[in-house]
Amino acid sequence: MADKKATRESYGAALAELGEKYDFLVLDADLAAATKTGMFKKKFPERFFDCGIAEGNMMSVAAGIAATGKNVFASTFAMFAAGRAFEQVRNSIGYPHLNVKIGATHAGITVGEDGATHQCNEDIALMRTIPGMVVISPADADEAYAAVEASLNHYGPVYMRFGRFAVPNLTSELKNYKFEIGKGVLYREGKDVSIVANGYMVHLAVEAAEMLAAEGIDAEVINIHTVKPLDTELIVASARKTGAVVTAEEHSVIGGLGSAVCDALSENCPVPVIKVGVNDEFGRSGKVPELLEIYGLTAKNIYEKAKLAISKK
Amino acid sequence: MDILEKKTLERLANNVRISIVESVYSAGCGHPGGSLSIADVITYLYFKEMNVDPKNPKMESRDRFVLSKGHTAPALYAVLAERGFFEKEELKTLRKTESRLQGHPDMKGIPGVDMSTGSLGLGISAACGMALSAKVYGADNRVYTIVGDGESEEGQVWEAAMFAAHYKLDNLVLVLDWNGLQIDGPVAEVMNPTPHDEKFRAFGWHVISIDAHNFDEIEAAFAEARTVKGKPTAIIIKSVKGKGVSYMENACEWHGQAPKEDLYKVAMEDLGKIAESLK
């Protein structure tokens, strides 16, 4: 079994290590210990600036730094980066297409005990409506690290989503893995149903595919780490082959990966799509494994929805 | 300031006012009142205070300007054209579909615009980011931003005020346009943000209060700001909204509408008389 590590840990480690190779500033809003930008702060205190609990200001400050031609990361929880500061991200960063990297941690239901106010299930939906914004939800620690480096080599705004909860590092076991913004990763080839997942749900999609295989159902598993720009080519080709799709994301089923996949397929290859994600409801406090069960973010649910999708062919 | 220089600045500011009225009239909409109130200070910034080069608008060492009260874009466009960043003729395309002169400043398309603004409260923060970047990377350029008095009702203005003082951004100068009016009425009645001087001082800023339409005072204030170390400076300019156009002066309804032909002519006559008096 692969090692387990939270993607936010990898984000902090990436900033601290890549800070040697790349010139950038890091902003945080009093959450450096939690977002793990504290790892960068410790190593490069002269390049780290705490903005205090004022996320809107932080995003516009980041835009101002970027407007002077310097690289900058802005970090806080997803709820505040995409939610509270949506308008600053849209108008200060998105509209002028400034080179700001947003590292948003504690996304989704796996925040756990803090409950609904901090469990942001809407960030992908919000961010992908901003023209020119790249939206990335890495599956695990290695992919999170690769995403941070890729973002440094990409000019323009990038929203990266990281989780609080440890997740198996499947990327480390993939052969010839290469992270490329906008390119999905094929985890497993199959012909009966396509499971398109990202973030925390990728390892569960792989598990679901194994459950299906035990019953002779051959599932294809694709990791769409970049929700925008979407790898439409890979998704459509898979849907064309299998004729049924299940999407899986740790996000609302409204506006996230599932919606993006439906947008792509409805125009290019209309096949049944069943979305696994948080339904139209708020989260709640609880232990993460219990919450994942309650909200249906499980391999078993993906497995069941895959069979449902196949039945609709 | 010697009399000749003052007269030159007053003439330029009047030209800027004429351009504001012409462009808003041509657009058939826009925000003349708050554009006219800052015409003098923005003229001073672009002709006297800031290190800018119209032939090289992206010059790295330039001073930066952020119009936080972005709806008064007509004033910014007018002064940029007056300074030679683009042809004055283009001002008549303001707000039109084929024009790069967007209703609110767009840094991507317009030469000389350093930051896209329009949503109130955001520009001041961006100016803080520019000033911080200059400090971190050892650049000696200065950053200027104009914030509206109504705009100061936005909480983000005070988040930014805290940030600028915390990081000792003495290369940042904020001009607060205290014209006393906003869309729904007098600022003091809608949601009173005063006293600005005491508030900025309490936030750790150096504060200077001046008459917005007196170039001697404007010059002295910016000169004083350059001597301040370890804290940002706020210059509160007591202005007349709609300054220079008789019927727009201190009239709330001219915050956000364009004059029709008859009133456009009156405005041009008013500003023409000022131009005559400055000959």
Side-chain angles (χ1 to χ4, degrees):
Chain A
M1 191 65 191
D3 288 348
K4 276 189 167 190
K5 192 176 172 186
T7 49
R8 64 167 166 154
E9 294 279 354
S10 193
Y11 172 55
L15 290 179
E17 281 180 33
L18 296 171
E20 289 173 13
K21 191 168 152 194
Y22 299 85
D23 183 15
F24 56 83
L25 305 182
V26 175
L27 308 178
D28 205 308
D30 192 40
L31 288 170
T35 63
K36 300 299 172 188
T37 60
M39 294 161 84
F40 177 88
K41 177 186 178 180
K42 200 173 164 196
K43 202 161 156 191
F44 303 104
E46 71 290 350
R47 282 156 60 190
F48 176 88
F49 297 91
D50 210 315
C51 295
I53 309 167
E55 298 82 6
N57 179 59
M58 176 175 72
M59 291 303 177
S60 300
V61 164
I65 292 168
T68 64
K70 305 301 181 189
N71 290 317
V72 59
F73 283 79
S75 282
T76 179
F77 289 176
M79 189 67 251
F80 315 127
R84 175 182 287 245
F86 172 77
E87 207 243 287
Q88 286 82 358
V89 172
R90 179 194 185 273
N91 278 328
S92 294
I93 298 170
Y95 176 47
H97 199 70
L98 287 167
N99 195 24
V100 175
K101 314 305 172 198
I102 301 166
T105 69
H106 294 63
I109 211 87
T110 54
V111 165
E113 289 83 347
D114 274 353
T117 53
H118 287 57
Q119 290 160 338
C120 187
N121 297 318
E122 305 88 3
D123 55 331
I124 302 289
L126 287 162
M127 289 295 112
R128 82 182 182 95
T129 60
I130 299 174
M133 179 68 75
V134 168
V135 181
I136 303 174
S137 179
D140 54 34
D142 278 10
E143 187 159 270
Y145 192 105
V148 175
E149 183 152 23
S151 80
L152 278 162
N153 291 305
H154 169 89
Y155 183 88
V158 178
Y159 179 87
M160 283 171 285
R161 177 190 225 240
F162 304 108
R164 173 177 176 267
F165 197 62
V167 56
N169 195 2
L170 298 188
T171 300
S172 62
E173 296 172 356
L174 291 179
K175 281 178 198 143
N176 304 321
Y177 174 84
K178 183 170 166 264
F179 184 91
E180 205 178 324
I181 289 173
K183 292 281 176 215
V185 183
L186 187 64
Y187 269 59
R188 177 190 178 114
E189 281 191 75
K191 59 178 178 13
D192 299 328
V193 61
S194 305
I195 306 174
V196 180
N198 70 11
Y200 184 80
M201 300 304 285
V202 171
H203 75 283
L204 298 178
V206 171
E207 212 177 304
E210 283 159 10
M211 290 161 74
L212 291 162
E215 293 179 18
I217 298 169
D218 191 9
E220 181 145 298
V221 179
I222 296 170
N223 167 15
I224 294 292
H225 51 64
T226 309
V227 182
K228 188 181 178 180
L230 190 73
D231 192 346
T232 303
E233 204 182 320
L234 182 65
I235 295 165
V236 168
S238 181
R240 209 161 260 151
K241 180 171 66 174
T242 63
V245 174
V246 176
T247 61
E249 62 196 307
E250 190 205 354
H251 182 276
S252 170
V253 292
I254 300 171
L257 172 70
S259 294
V261 167
C262 287
D263 290 350
L265 293 180
S266 64
E267 286 180 8
N268 299 293
C269 178
V271 298
V273 180
I274 309 288
K275 294 189 279 188
V276 171
V278 177
N279 290 315
D280 190 16
E281 59 185 321
F282 289 104
R284 57 184 295 171
S285 291
K287 292 205 182 309
V288 172
E290 291 166 11
L291 294 176
L292 291 169
E293 282 291 331
I294 291 169
Y295 292 95
L297 304 177
T298 59
K300 184 163 174 284
N301 193 26
I302 298 171
Y303 153 87
E304 282 166 4
K305 294 302 182 321
K307 293 198 355 181
L308 179 63
I310 291 166
S311 76
K312 289 178 183 286
K313 277 198 212 179
Chain B
M1 183 181 295
D2 68 52
I3 292 175
L4 214 64
E5 187 180 29
K6 197 199 288 192
K7 210 148 215 192
T8 303
L9 286 168
E10 284 171 348
R11 273 196 210 105
L12 288 166
N14 199 57
N15 290 348
V16 165
R17 288 196 165 90
I18 289 168
S19 293
I20 289 167
V21 173
E22 279 180 339
S23 61
V24 171
Y25 173 67
S26 172
C29 59
H31 298 85
S35 298
L36 292 166
S37 66
I38 61 167
D40 299 305
V41 76
I42 205 167
T43 298
Y44 185 85
L45 283 169
Y46 276 90
F47 281 89
K48 189 84 196 289
E49 175 69 12
M50 294 199 303
N51 172 31
V52 291
D53 180 1
K55 291 193 180 64
N56 186 10
K58 296 225 181 280
M59 177 175 70
E60 208 175 327
S61 62
R62 74 190 186 279
D63 290 331
R64 296 325 201 261
F65 176 75
V66 180
L67 185 63
S68 199
K69 44 176 272 181
H71 56 284
T72 56
L76 176 57
Y77 299 160
V79 80
L80 287 173
E82 195 69 34
R83 187 73 170 80
F85 282 84
F86 49 85
E87 294 295 319
K88 282 175 88 167
E89 190 58 27
E90 189 175 344
L91 294 172
K92 289 180 182 151
T93 69
L94 174 67
R95 288 177 167 246
K96 295 199 165 72
T97 314
E98 70 279 8
S99 176
R100 54 185 178 175
L101 300 183
Q102 296 297 296
H104 294 82
D106 170 18
M107 67 182 286
K108 286 206 310 296
I110 309 168
V113 173
D114 291 325
M115 187 67 209
S116 301
T117 52
S119 175
L120 297 176
L122 277 55
I124 174 180
S125 301
C128 287
M130 292 174 178
L132 179 74
S133 174
K135 287 256 173 207
V136 174
Y137 290 100
D140 62 0
N141 62 295
R142 293 172 70 75
V143 182
Y144 299 85
T145 181
I146 302 182
V147 174
D149 51 1
E151 181 181 10
S152 74
E153 292 160 5
E154 287 281 7
Q156 189 170 340
V157 168
W158 303 101
E159 293 181 5
M162 223 184 314
F163 182 94
H166 184 82
Y167 287 111
K168 302 181 169 58
L169 302 180
D170 52 18
N171 53 349
L172 174 69
V173 179
L174 177 153
V175 173
L176 187 106
D177 181 26
W178 184 20
N179 62 40
L181 297 173
Q182 60 188 114
I183 297 177
D184 279 354
V187 171
E189 287 175 22
V190 176
M191 180 49 66
N192 191 358
T194 60
H196 283 113
D197 51 355
E198 287 177 32
K199 282 183 180 155
F200 275 102
R201 259 184 216 112
F203 272 79
W205 288 55
H206 180 72
V207 178
I208 307 167
S209 296
I210 61 165
D211 174 353
H213 310 301
N214 180 320
F215 279 106
D216 287 320
E217 292 190 24
I218 293 172
E219 180 179 54
F222 283 109
E224 184 179 323
R226 283 179 183 271
T227 67
V228 176
K229 299 294 169 219
K231 53 166 79 172
T233 294
I235 302 175
I236 297 168
I237 62 166
K238 181 77 191 77
S239 68
V240 174
K241 197 157 184 168
K243 174 75 175 173
V245 176
S246 52
Y247 58 90
M248 288 189 188
E249 288 196 356
N250 293 314
C252 197
E253 62 269 31
W254 291 101
H255 169 89
Q257 64 161 324
K260 299 277 187 292
E261 194 182 349
D262 52 340
L263 286 178
Y264 166 70
K265 283 179 180 160
V266 174
M268 283 301 136
E269 278 166 26
D270 290 344
L271 295 171
K273 277 181 206 157
I274 295 170
E276 274 298 311
S277 75
L278 293 171
K279 271 189 177 165

